[in-house]
Amino acid sequence: MFGIEDPTAIVDALQVIGIVLLEAILLYVGYGLLEWVLGPTLVDALRGEQ
C-alpha cells in the first residue's frame, strides 16, 4: 500500500535522494565559484567602473 513492502523501492528512493542531494551540492559549489570569480567584475561593470 505504501510501497515499503518491496525493499527495492526503499533502495531506489534512497538512490534518488542521494542523486538529488549530490546535484544540489554541486550546483551550490558551482554557482558559488562562479560568483566568486565573476562577481567583482560584474559589479564593477554595472557601476560603470573599469
Side-chain angles (χ1 to χ4, degrees), residues 13-37:
L14 290 175
Q15 285 177 343
V16 169
I17 291 169
I19 290 170
V20 169
L21 183 60
L22 179 63
E23 182 181 4
I25 291 169
L26 289 174
L27 286 171
Y28 181 79
V29 170
Y31 282 128
L33 181 63
L34 190 63
E35 193 275 331
W36 179 67
V37 171

